[in-house]
Amino acid sequence: MKGIHWSRYREQGFFLGIKFLYLLHHRIGPLAFKIAVYPVVLFYFLKNHSGRRAIREYLQRLSSFCPQANVKPNGYTSFRIFLNFSASAKEKLEAWFVGIPRSCVNFPNQPFLHQLAERGQGGILIGSHLGNLEVCRALGSLHSTMKINVLVHTKHAKKFNRMLQLLNSDSQVRLTQVTEITPALSMQLSESIARGEFIVITGDRIPVNSTGRTCNAVFLGHTAPFPQGPYILAALLKCPVYTLFCLRSSNGYDIHMEALCKRVEMPRGNRELHIHRLIELYAQRLEYYCCKAPLQWYNFYPFWSQD
């Protein structure tokens, strides 16, 4: 059955609730947040029928693919994912506007990333909606010379950049609103890579533009569409590609950065095959980290049956 495109799912109401909880947390205290979060999330959980079905589908496929994760695909587990998402949404705001203490970030490959920044070797970091990518996007604050360009679908990127500069003038992060890769955008990003900057883009949501290219790959034992855009962009920019995952842990955040390929090759007549192989590798890493943090998957739409 065909599903509604993810970009048509409305999350504004939930994010207004999260903004209220965030203000409650910082004006009154964390105890007020903990008390208020349950009715807010429960209301959204009961109202969002499609989100509940999508999460249940994910849990069912994860439990079959990775039984050692010991995840039960029931309503209680689904509600726990909604609760985790509310906490991660609060952490998104903290990552952008307050900053994440370095002591809370476990990032074994941080020295390698800093070396790349110091040598002026930029690249593409492909993230996902598993865990909290906003913590990774705040990596620019961990190194004075490292700049992060985040490609997003929101139409309010310019306003957000201004707000970010007002609240955190030291931020090395810049958002760029994009629905498709245009020649002008390619030139802009190419200049960023040449300056040794990094580009963050998610690899687990199909393009907003209906003409965007996708490629099917097996994910948690079933075929799902993945966007080709990140890999086509990497080929145009002639830069290395890394995967980037940030998982919540009891001690803070664990950031995992791995090399996907040194350069995306697009030989004539064989481009699709090479990109397909990279998407398969990405899907395998996404599977691996889903099994490590099964309750941190925040895709509230039918992932395996998308328009």
Side-chain angles (χ1 to χ4, degrees):
M1 181 180 66
K2 289 289 185 181
I4 300 174
H5 193 283
W6 66 264
S7 62
R8 293 175 59 191
Y9 281 82
R10 295 185 177 182
E11 298 175 339
Q12 294 95 323
F14 190 45
F15 278 107
L16 285 175
I18 295 301
K19 185 176 180 180
F20 164 74
L21 293 172
Y22 175 76
L23 293 174
L24 196 66
H25 178 275
H26 285 275
R27 297 288 176 85
I28 302 179
L31 181 60
F33 173 85
K34 291 180 180 179
I35 294 174
V37 69
Y38 286 94
V40 172
V41 175
L42 180 60
F43 173 79
Y44 186 75
F45 177 76
L46 295 175
K47 182 181 178 182
N48 189 354
H49 303 286
S50 58
R52 292 204 312 271
R53 287 195 299 268
I55 291 297
R56 180 70 67 89
E57 179 185 35
Y58 157 71
L59 290 172
Q60 290 171 342
R61 296 188 171 180
L62 178 73
S63 62
S64 298
F65 178 83
C66 186
Q68 62 270 27
N70 196 27
V71 171
K72 296 181 179 180
N74 54 31
Y76 173 69
T77 308
S78 300
F79 181 66
R80 287 178 62 192
I81 290 182
F82 276 74
L83 276 176
N84 287 346
F85 179 66
S86 70
S88 74
K90 177 180 72 68
E91 292 164 357
K92 292 176 193 290
L93 298 174
E94 291 177 340
W96 284 118
F97 302 125
V98 181
I100 301 296
R102 298 190 183 191
S103 59
C104 295
V105 177
N106 175 34
F107 185 15
N109 275 339
Q110 183 176 328
F112 172 68
L113 187 62
H114 289 177
Q115 290 172 8
L116 293 176
E118 289 169 356
R119 293 199 300 260
Q121 296 181 0
I124 289 182
L125 305 172
I126 303 182
S128 71
H129 292 82
L130 174 71
N132 198 337
L133 187 61
E134 268 64 22
V135 175
C136 298
R137 291 171 177 173
L139 287 175
S141 63
L142 300 179
H143 196 278
S144 59
T145 64
M146 184 171 62
K147 293 188 178 181
I148 307 291
N149 300 276
V150 184
L151 304 189
V152 296
H153 296 295
T154 176
K155 296 179 180 179
H156 306 292
K158 291 183 179 179
K159 293 181 180 178
F160 196 93
N161 283 327
R162 289 197 296 269
M163 187 188 307
L164 190 59
Q165 284 298 313
L166 287 173
L167 296 176
N168 185 0
S169 59
D170 295 328
S171 175
Q172 299 294 314
V173 180
R174 179 174 178 81
L175 272 67
T176 300
Q177 189 272 332
V178 56
T179 55
E180 61 179 342
I181 304 299
T182 63
L185 178 61
S186 298
M187 184 176 298
Q188 175 187 333
L189 296 178
S190 179
E191 293 171 353
S192 298
I193 292 293
R195 290 192 298 265
E197 300 176 10
F198 291 89
I199 297 168
V200 176
I201 185 171
T202 55
D204 61 347
R205 283 199 172 173
I206 61 176
V208 173
N209 193 321
S210 61
T211 61
R213 302 178 67 87
T214 62
C215 187
N216 288 334
V218 176
F219 174 63
L220 297 180
H222 297 266
T223 300
F226 288 84
Q228 294 187 20
Y231 312 94
I232 295 175
L233 178 61
L236 293 173
L237 301 182
K238 302 177 182 179
C239 66
V241 182
Y242 307 90
T243 58
L244 191 66
F245 298 95
C246 178
L247 308 180
R248 193 71 168 86
S249 69
S250 58
N251 299 320
Y253 308 92
D254 295 329
I255 298 179
H256 305 274
M257 174 184 171
E258 302 172 359
L260 190 66
C261 70
K262 293 183 178 179
R263 183 171 173 178
V264 179
E265 302 290 345
M266 298 182 68
R268 286 188 177 182
N270 205 24
R271 183 182 70 177
E272 294 280 346
L273 181 63
H274 184 60
I275 291 179
H276 186 204
R277 179 54 183 157
L278 291 175
I279 289 176
E280 287 179 329
L281 291 174
Y282 171 82
Q284 290 169 11
R285 300 316 294 160
L286 184 59
E287 281 179 342
Y288 173 79
Y289 287 109
C290 278
C291 293
K292 287 179 67 70
L295 302 188
Q296 296 186 39
W297 171 256
Y298 306 130
N299 267 315
F300 301 100
Y301 67 97
F303 187 77
W304 285 267
S305 55
Q306 307 170 37
D307 277 337

